């Protein structure tokens, strides 16, 4: 990977600013064939390495412009009041052509001593190569998006379709993969241990917060052949979301 980039920002006030960036990235690939000659007893008789044709390189010119704001106020462990937002557009040209869009809005309502936190986020790729197989797909199942999900939270033997040792499909996991993501989070923050002004228990040495939450998210692509039909159900196995 060869890369060069530049970054600049222009503050409009103490809480808002513009950011711009631009750069160029080249991804080049080498392939190597490593072959062994093994005797019936398992002894390696010959070990050979040969170069092979690699995949075509990717040459990508990237830029972005973003408008950001942050007038939030922190408590002991997290923001308690105010708002944050980021609106960003990032076009990419060269071997692949697509545009990335990010819209992230967070709002905090302080209701002494508790606070209510809300976030709405969309990130997606749009344009001719946005759904191409040369780009890493986006994954919704990160703790920063939907808490309780991870790659390790799926039972391959029970939730996926396999043939021998090969996993052919895994619908619960496929529902978290796409080129566009939408996320909504709602969280009630209760400062359990803190001070008299900000805490249910006055013990300022170990600030502790309890935060029951509700998370929701959706991943999809722009491919017309992969439309997803949503149905509310109590059992996740009953969801009608074909891939």
């Amino acid at each position: 990977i060869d890369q060069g980039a530049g970054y600049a920002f222009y503050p409009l006030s103490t809480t808002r600013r513009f950011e711009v960036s631009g750069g160029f990235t080249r991804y080049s690939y080498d392939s190597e064939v490593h072959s062994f000659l093994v005797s019936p007893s398992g002894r390696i008789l010959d070990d050979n390495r040969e170069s092979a044709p690699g995949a075509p390189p990717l040459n990508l010119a990237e830029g972005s412009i973003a408008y950001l704001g942050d007038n939030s106020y922190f408590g002991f462990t997290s923001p308690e009041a105010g708002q944050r937002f980021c609106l960003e557009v990032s076009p990419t040209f060269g071997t692949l052509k697509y545009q990335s869009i990010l819209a992230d809005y967070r709002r905090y309502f302080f209701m002494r001593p508790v606070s209510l936190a809300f976030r709405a986020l969309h990130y997606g790729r749009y344009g001719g190569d946005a759904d191409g197989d040369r780009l890493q797909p986006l994954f919704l199942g990160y703790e920063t998006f939907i808490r309780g999900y991870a790659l390790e939270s799926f039972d391959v033997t029970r939730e996926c379709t396999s043939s021998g040792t090969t996993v052919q499909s895994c619908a619960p996991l496929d529902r978290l993969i796409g080129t566009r993501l939408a996320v909504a989070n709602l969280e009630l923050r209760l400062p359990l241990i803190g001070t008299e002004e900000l805490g249910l228990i006055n013990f300022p040495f170990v600030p502790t917060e309890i935060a029951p939450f509700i998370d929701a998210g959706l991943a999809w692509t722009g491919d017309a052949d992969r439309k997803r039909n949503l149905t509310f159900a109590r059992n996740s196995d009953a969801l009608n979301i074909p891939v």
Side-chain angles (χ1 to χ4, degrees), residues 72-99:
S72 60
Y73 296 88
F74 257 78
F76 289 114
T77 59
S78 59
E80 300 288 342
Q83 67 177 0
R84 293 171 165 182
F85 65 84
C86 175
L87 301 174
E88 182 178 22
V89 178
S90 305
T92 299
F93 305 96
T95 308
L96 303 177
K97 298 179 178 63
Y98 62 94
Q99 296 79 42

Side-chain angles (χ1 to χ4, degrees), residues 4-240:
Y7 166 83
F9 67 91
Y10 180 78
L12 302 174
S13 68
T14 57
T15 61
R16 301 182 183 227
R17 70 180 184 271
F18 279 108
E19 294 182 354
V20 294
S21 66
F24 179 82
T25 305
R26 176 181 172 84
Y27 298 92
S28 56
Y29 305 91
D30 290 326
S31 295
E32 187 179 73
V33 178
H34 194 183
S35 57
F36 300 89
L37 178 61
V38 183
S39 69
S41 63
R43 180 186 174 189
I44 297 178
L45 303 176
D46 189 24
D47 181 353
N48 185 45
R49 295 176 182 265
E50 296 180 351
S51 297
L58 291 177
N59 298 300
L60 303 176
E62 303 159 302
S64 72
I65 181 170
Y67 177 49
L68 302 96
D70 185 354
N71 65 358
S72 60
Y73 296 88
F74 257 78
F76 289 114
T77 59
S78 59
E80 300 288 342
Q83 67 177 0
R84 293 171 165 182
F85 65 84
C86 175
L87 301 174
E88 182 178 22
V89 178
S90 305
T92 299
F93 305 96
T95 308
L96 303 177
K97 298 179 178 63
Y98 62 94
Q99 296 79 42
S100 299
I101 295 177
L102 171 65
D104 186 351
Y105 179 75
R106 310 178 188 201
R107 179 73 176 173
Y108 312 100
F109 303 92
F110 185 54
M111 301 173 289
R112 190 182 302 270
V114 304
S115 63
L116 186 67
F118 169 77
R119 177 178 74 166
L121 178 145
H122 170 64
Y123 178 72
R125 301 191 190 114
Y126 297 85
D129 296 308
D131 295 306
D133 57 5
R134 298 199 70 182
L135 291 173
Q136 180 76 14
L138 305 177
F139 182 57
L140 183 63
Y142 290 117
E143 293 284 343
T144 52
F145 293 147
I146 306 294
R147 284 161 285 195
Y149 277 109
L151 287 173
E152 300 79 15
S153 64
F154 296 91
D155 187 342
V156 176
T157 59
R158 186 175 63 88
E159 299 179 280
C160 303
T161 302
S162 302
S163 176
T165 59
T166 303
V167 177
Q168 293 180 327
S169 64
C170 194
L173 184 60
D174 290 341
R175 288 197 286 266
L176 302 177
I177 296 174
T179 56
R180 301 169 189 178
L181 305 178
V183 177
N185 311 104
L186 186 65
E187 183 175 291
L188 182 64
R189 297 173 175 172
L190 299 90
L192 180 63
I193 300 176
T195 63
E196 291 184 358
E197 295 79 12
L198 190 63
L200 301 178
I201 300 175
N202 185 14
F203 189 75
F205 302 103
V206 187
T208 303
E209 183 179 79
I210 298 176
F213 61 87
I214 298 174
D215 293 338
L218 179 66
W220 74 99
T221 73
D223 191 342
D225 295 331
R226 297 186 62 187
K227 294 181 179 179
R228 299 186 173 187
N229 302 316
L230 300 182
T231 301
F232 286 99
R234 292 187 178 184
N235 187 338
S236 61
D237 294 335
L239 289 175
N240 177 26

